[in-house]
Amino acid sequence: MEFGTFILAAQRGYHQSSDQVIRNSIEQAQAAERAGWDVAWFAEHHFNNYSLVPSPLMMVAALSGVTKTIRLGTAVCVLPLYQPQRLLSEIGFADIVSNGRLELGVGSGYQQFEFSRFGVNVDEAPAVFSEYLDIILKGLNQKIFEHQGTHISIPPTAISVRTVQKPTPPIWLAAGSARSMGRAYREGHNLFVTALHGGLDQVRNLREMIEKAAETEGRKASDAKISLLRCCYASDDQAEIDSYLDNARFQRRLSEALHQRRQQSADGYMLQETPTQQDLSFETMQKNLPIGSINRVIDRLLEEIEILKCDQIAVQTQLGDFDQKTMVKQIELWGEKIIPAVNKALGGSATLKVANG
């Protein structure tokens, strides 16, 4: 089982400077490498405090110089907000400077607040994403490519800065729909999925959705690598846990507001979190998620892995204004105790299954 950090680089208020948020995010990725995590993922958002990373490929390039082994991923590049021909060169550059450590996650985006400021219609995002992904695949796989499409036309073009990984870096699709899952299975990409703050029933529903998408394309669910984005935290200190849950709920409130186009900001930048009917209590969130004592987190992760049959857990480590020193210690704790215990248990299960035929 692979483990990754998911770094949103959020700013909960003006008591956090943008400099501090970005540097804390870099420090978390470095801590994850020292602790033996497999990958650090970076989000992309614009023009507000929900996330301060405007380009996950820039974060990959920045981390390339201060890490050596951890893989570095984009979760995700919002394709409709790019010129795909330029993005191809930036993908190649990031893969080169990271010595072939790039994991390329792409998605269509969902926040009207961002799209309108780029002059892009968010309602057209799925169609634009589909066409731009076609272009990215052409550019990665062909020395010279061209494209004549609905949203863009590109004459014969050569990308001079090409990826180290051949034929391409691993490609991950943010897969929240049957359509995106189906494309992943059809073209051999990986899946980046989330059960949000839901419990085991939501994880089961997600697995059923994946299996149906694979079956529709004549594939097996195991034909794609699956990463599950999850809020997880291990501690016996309830105050620590409550702080993590508070920040997780803060992030969810902002995400829902942006998704439903009801974001609220007094100054045009700092979004204000607003309680909603969809809010879960801390008690329910802790029950639903791999949160609690070390043993509880390990047991719950094993349950979720068994249901979803995923290949990777991406843990949200950068949330709101959660204390940085405490989170770095948490990352170290996972490397010391949780990751080895989960992999040991999974290794034993695999051995038993083989022995039993």
Side-chain angles (χ1 to χ4, degrees):
M1 179 61 53
E2 295 179 358
F3 285 85
T5 59
F6 178 80
I7 296 174
L8 191 60
Q11 180 186 27
R12 193 162 187 180
Y14 288 118
H15 61 285
Q16 298 170 283
S17 69
S18 57
D19 174 87
Q20 177 188 5
V21 171
I22 296 299
R23 294 191 183 281
N24 284 352
S25 299
I26 291 171
E27 183 184 12
Q28 288 187 18
Q30 292 174 299
E33 178 177 71
R34 291 193 301 270
W37 294 58
D38 298 285
V39 58
W41 294 100
F42 304 100
E44 174 184 342
H45 290 283
H46 304 273
F47 311 126
N48 60 63
N49 58 305
Y50 177 68
S51 171
L52 304 192
V53 178
S55 167
L57 285 170
M58 287 186 71
M59 285 293 281
V60 169
L63 265 295
S64 295
V66 293
T67 61
K68 293 181 179 180
T69 58
I70 194 168
R71 295 190 66 81
L72 303 167
T74 63
V76 292
C77 290
V78 183
L79 292 192
L81 304 183
Y82 289 86
Q83 292 177 309
Q85 60 274 54
R86 177 178 180 133
L87 182 61
L88 276 163
S89 293
E90 294 178 354
I91 290 167
F93 185 92
D95 199 45
I96 288 170
V97 297
S98 66
N99 294 317
R101 288 187 281 148
L102 174 64
E103 301 278 325
L104 180 60
V106 295
S108 62
Y110 66 92
Q111 295 185 5
Q112 184 188 44
F113 187 88
E114 299 175 322
F115 275 65
S116 61
R117 284 155 182 78
F118 280 104
V120 180
N121 185 349
V122 71
D123 295 326
E124 295 179 358
V128 175
F129 167 79
S130 181
E131 183 173 334
Y132 283 13
L133 181 54
D134 289 342
I135 297 169
I136 296 299
L137 296 173
K138 286 180 183 180
L140 289 173
N141 287 285
Q142 300 173 19
K143 187 174 181 180
I144 299 176
F145 74 96
E146 60 184 307
H147 181 81
Q148 299 295 322
T150 302
H151 298 94
I152 193 171
S153 295
I154 303 172
T157 301
I159 302 300
S160 55
V161 185
R162 305 193 66 83
T163 60
V164 173
Q165 299 180 84
K166 302 301 182 186
T168 73
I171 296 174
W172 299 76
L173 302 192
S177 67
R179 179 179 179 178
S180 56
M181 290 178 182
R183 178 160 190 175
Y185 278 104
R186 190 163 58 252
E187 298 180 354
H189 307 313
N190 302 322
L191 301 177
F192 204 82
V193 300
T194 180
L196 301 176
H197 296 161
L200 294 180
D201 285 344
Q202 196 155 341
V203 177
R204 290 188 187 95
N205 292 339
L206 187 56
R207 178 62 189 184
E208 290 174 5
M209 189 176 177
I210 291 171
E211 289 178 346
K212 187 175 295 185
E215 183 180 357
T216 299
E217 298 298 329
R219 307 295 172 87
K220 296 181 295 184
S222 58
D223 288 341
K225 193 172 179 180
I226 301 168
S227 179
L228 174 65
L229 174 61
R230 208 69 167 131
C231 286
C232 310
Y233 195 85
S235 178
D236 292 322
D237 185 335
Q238 192 60 44
E240 266 186 36
I241 290 173
D242 287 348
S243 178
Y244 182 84
L245 292 170
D246 178 54
N247 279 286
R249 191 166 67 182
F250 157 76
Q251 294 293 171
R252 187 64 196 145
R253 284 172 173 171
L254 262 58
S255 177
E256 288 176 353
L258 287 161
H259 188 260
Q260 297 171 10
R261 308 178 187 183
R262 55 174 174 77
Q263 61 275 0
Q264 304 201 7
S265 171
D267 62 4
Y269 169 73
M270 188 68 69
L271 300 180
Q272 305 300 314
E273 61 175 308
T274 305
T276 72
Q277 292 183 340
Q278 286 72 42
D279 279 350
L280 301 176
S281 67
F282 289 174
E283 181 181 5
T284 299
M285 291 173 68
Q286 186 167 344
K287 180 181 178 182
N288 284 352
L289 297 163
I291 292 177
S293 69
I294 291 174
N295 287 338
R296 200 269 174 179
V297 169
I298 292 168
D299 290 343
R300 186 49 177 265
L301 283 171
L302 290 171
E303 279 187 279
E304 296 191 358
I305 292 166
E306 176 64 24
I307 294 169
L308 190 61
K309 298 177 175 57
C310 55
D311 305 277
Q312 182 184 112
I313 301 292
V315 180
Q316 290 206 252
T317 60
Q318 202 289 333
L319 285 173
D321 60 358
F322 189 85
D323 182 70
Q324 174 71 0
K325 289 183 179 179
T326 304
M327 182 50 72
V328 169
K329 289 180 180 178
Q330 177 74 187
I331 291 168
E332 293 169 348
L333 175 67
W334 278 67
E336 179 185 353
K337 294 186 177 180
I338 297 174
I339 293 174
V342 169
N343 281 325
K344 182 178 180 180
L346 292 174
S349 298
T351 302
L352 182 60
K353 288 178 182 177
V354 171
N356 290 338

